[in-house]
Amino acid sequence: MQTLIEALQRTADLVVNDFYEELARLPKSRRILEMLSGEELAHLKTRQMQNLLALAQPSLTSQDRAEMAMRVGRIHAIVGLDKEELVRSRGILQELVDKQIGRNVSRQALSLYARRLIADTAWQLKAYQAVQDSQQEVLQRITRIVWEAGSYTHFIDQVIAALAAHDEVTACAIGRPDAAGIFHFEAGAGGRGRLSGSSADSGGGLLDALGAEGHVISVRADHLCGQGAVGRAWRSGKAERVVNYQTDPLVARWRDVAAREGLRSAVALPLAATGQPPIAILMLYSAWPGGFVGPDQVAFVELLQTLLGCAVARLQTHEGMPGAAVPVSVRQHWAALVRTGALQMHYQPLLNLATGRCGKVEALARLRDGERLLMPDEFLFALASDDLLELFARGLHQALADRRQWLAAGHDLAVSINLPPAALNDIRYFEAAREALQTYACPSAQLTLEVLETEAFSMNEGQGSILGKFRALGVLLAQDDLGSGHSGLARLRELPFDWIKIDREIAHLEGDTALDALRVVYQVTRLGHSLGKLVLAEGVDSADLLAALAILGVDGAQGYVIARPMPAAQLPGWIAADEAHEAHEAREAPGARESVLARLARFVVWEERLLMIAAVPGAARDLLKAAAFVANTPLAEALVGLGDVLPAGEAREALQRDLLRALLDGGRESDAWRAARDRLTSAIAATAHETRTPEPMPSHTH
Ligand code: C2E
Ligand code: CA
Ligand code: CA
């Protein structure tokens, strides 16, 4: 064997040089060699010589040789070397070795060496297969993540974790450009940053490096930093590759940082629904030149792109995505704020429309960041799932502590707090709630949890059962944002809510739609009541609307016209002022005419009664025959509500009769009914112009 080693030492460079010449004749191998810089090729040849010598070393165990071969095989798989050419090239290598040293070395040593070369090839193929298996596993894992995706931030964190665990991916990152076209990574892992071992978010080091000054990434073609893979992919909507950071002139400005981070090649994948412009970009980095270009790799990244594109598009349409990219460093900063006493709960009164009093407040999170008070719309989406749990637990503690203070000041207020959708799958939220109630000796019925579901989630057993546990604990449950697209009607029946909160978009009044908005609110309220639930309208921003809601029978209201969210200390003062104001109003109610909106609300209620009477045709015909429409008959009394809406007189009589007649003759689909109804509502609207008294004082602004 010693002679063999000596012979190899003399001739290894010849063997290797010849070998690479032969390799260059194999089409697929040539493609890979051409991607290397001169320096990289020289390095590769040196490694090959070392390997050839190592195979002959007696000190190396078969275990050592296996490990060495697996390492090389893995690289071959990652750079996409064709399997058949791999096997062929090993034959060529064997021939070259025989040719150079065959004459000087014993047959026995030569045959031993040949067996080791074959074993080496076999190990390489095994490692090759392992990489392919790992691709399949990653795709399966990501398919699951895609199905379960509820929020963008959580989704990208999970995708990054899955990809970073895959051998071929040395680093990966997802991000989006801002309005100026500057690209920000929102999640990432790998690179040298990984070695620093910050567990919360490994990609920090890498992403800081990539996003640092001087390494700005832009998606604009006219920007100096817009020609990288990210920028090109954003504009073309197609996968764009950096085959080798050291040789690709387009990415020269990122050459050094890539080298420092150990990144040699990359692919940028635009994520979008088919045929749509990109929403985000996924970057995959390889530690070897020519990653992500072999046929297996191309198929892999294409599948990945399709899977993730669909998911991101869905998250975007379901508002599960922050409006603007939040760089990883900012996310980390906010997550730290949640944990360091920067969380400040503010409280917005919920008005009980039956009593006119405020007996409950909704706790809303704010984050104090130096001079700024960050609002949930900014930071919420950017928090990872553990941050949200922390936010909930700390927010609840604060709210119950504040509740205790208010109680000491003589105000017994219930507290409502938001539960993120993840809480329905995560028992830790339940435990945090139980623990907090105990700590503050708060009766559980004084706590309401507002649940917002994402459509992506179907209510499975587990979610139902966690809600069931909350119920058994005795807290109240509210379905938040009904009608916003997050929460569906089907859940109303399935889930044990005590309250329904109608989203502010539903009661949003604009011009002609006011009447329809009132109808929807009225019907949802009836539906809620018939299911045994209480109903609250959110986002009430005018006194007129507040009055209209009370007429429609809505149980509660929340909105700026009542009060804006405020710090805990301001609440007792506000309540005292509100109660004084109420008492004052009650004493000298000005008897001012109701607003048009309030009268339209009365009409909506009246219309419903009319429809019910019309459903009994005999009764309706009797009513039409009566001398006066609003006469002193029990049936007509059911309709007196309209008496407050239009001034009494022949005109009103005629409008009402027309409406009922149209309904009886043509039904509610008929044009006649619609026309008669429009005449009546126009008459109501017109009274606003005739008898316009000064607007009644908004009763709850202070
Ligand atoms: P939400 O639960 O629907 O809370 C009501 C939001 O509407 C609050 O915004 C409130 O300030 C705002 N609002 C109240 N009245 C009016 C009005 O008359 N007009 C308008 N335009 N807006 C009104 P905020 O505090 O910015 O909270 C936004 C959302 O963030 C909340 O919507 C809730 O989904 C979420 N959120 C807030 N705090 C927390 C929290 O502690 N945990 C979780 N998981 N989510 C929270
Ligand atoms: Ca809420
Ligand atoms: Ca809400």
Side-chain angles (χ1 to χ4, degrees), residues 24-239:
R25 294 203 186 98
L26 300 177
K28 291 172 189 158
S29 304
R30 183 175 61 229
R31 182 186 58 76
I32 293 171
L33 292 177
E34 280 170 350
M35 293 185 295
L36 302 179
S37 67
E39 203 181 323
E40 285 163 345
L41 185 60
H43 176 74
L44 195 60
K45 288 181 176 176
T46 314
R47 290 302 295 264
Q48 182 89 54
M49 280 185 247
Q50 288 166 347
N51 278 1
L52 282 179
L53 284 168
L55 274 184
Q57 290 299 334
S59 58
L60 235 56
T61 65
S62 60
Q63 176 72 24
D64 295 335
R65 286 196 299 273
E67 275 167 19
M68 186 174 83
M70 299 268 283
R71 229 171 11 247
V72 177
R74 199 174 132 252
I75 299 171
H76 281 157
I78 292 174
V79 301
L81 180 65
D82 185 71
K83 242 186 200 172
E84 273 172 41
E85 286 198 2
L86 173 66
V87 174
R88 261 172 80 192
S89 72
R90 304 299 288 184
I92 295 172
L93 186 61
Q94 178 74 61
E95 279 170 25
L96 291 171
V97 169
D98 284 351
K99 191 176 115 197
Q100 289 295 341
I101 62 173
R103 254 166 277 136
N104 319 332
V105 177
S106 77
R107 274 183 60 93
Q108 209 186 358
L110 210 56
S111 132
L112 178 65
Y113 192 71
R115 282 206 301 280
R116 287 189 180 172
L117 261 180
I118 288 171
D120 184 80
T121 311
W123 284 115
Q124 284 203 31
L125 289 174
K126 192 167 154 81
Y128 199 110
Q129 187 60 47
V131 170
Q132 286 179 324
D133 291 347
S134 162
Q135 276 186 357
Q136 293 312 309
E137 269 165 40
V138 148
L139 286 174
Q140 277 169 16
R141 215 174 132 192
I142 285 184
T143 307
R144 247 193 334 271
I145 295 171
V146 162
W147 275 109
E148 290 164 4
S151 97
Y152 175 73
T153 307
H154 186 54
F155 171 72
I156 59 176
D157 282 351
Q158 286 193 303
V159 167
I160 291 298
L163 287 171
H166 177 49
D167 242 2
E168 287 179 80
V169 176
T170 298
C172 51
I174 297 182
R176 290 181 289 157
D178 62 21
I182 301 299
F183 190 81
H184 303 280
F185 285 118
E186 298 168 284
R192 297 267 146 85
R194 172 156 54 183
L195 300 175
S196 73
S198 70
S199 65
D201 190 2
S202 32
L206 163 75
L207 300 179
D208 287 350
L210 286 177
E213 221 174 316
H215 303 300
V216 168
I217 298 173
S218 169
V219 296
R220 290 177 43 174
D222 58 355
H223 193 285
L224 222 57
C225 306
Q227 291 308 320
V230 166
R232 283 179 282 133
W234 184 261
R235 296 190 297 273
S236 72
K238 297 198 184 75

Side-chain angles (χ1 to χ4, degrees), residues 362 418 450 452 480-482 501-504 538 558:
E362 177 174 2
N418 293 285
E450 304 195 359
L452 195 151
D480 208 349
D481 294 359
L482 181 82
K501 298 187 77 173
I502 307 179
D503 190 68
R504 68 166 155 274
E538 300 188 300
Q558 173 180 11

Side-chain angles (χ1 to χ4, degrees), residues 345 348 362-366 375-377 380 388 391 417-420 450 452 480-481 501 504 538-541 558-561 563 565:
M345 300 309 277
Q348 188 176 32
E362 177 174 2
L364 296 158
R366 281 41 183 152
M375 302 296 282
D377 288 348
L380 215 49
L388 283 176
L391 181 78
I417 195 163
N418 293 285
L419 202 61
E450 304 195 359
L452 195 151
D480 208 349
D481 294 359
K501 298 187 77 173
R504 68 166 155 274
E538 300 188 300
V540 182
D541 53 10
Q558 173 180 11
Y560 291 167
V561 72

Side-chain angles (χ1 to χ4, degrees), residues 261-277:
E261 295 293 330
L263 311 176
R264 315 291 282 279
S265 58
V267 62
L269 300 174
L271 306 181
T274 353
Q276 296 299 306

Side-chain angles (χ1 to χ4, degrees), residues 238-260:
K238 297 198 184 75
E240 297 284 348
R241 290 176 165 78
V242 179
V243 166
N244 187 339
Y245 269 98
Q246 297 312 308
T247 58
D248 185 342
L250 287 177
V251 295
R253 63 176 55 249
W254 296 284
R255 195 166 282 169
D256 293 344
V257 64
R260 268 203 308 282

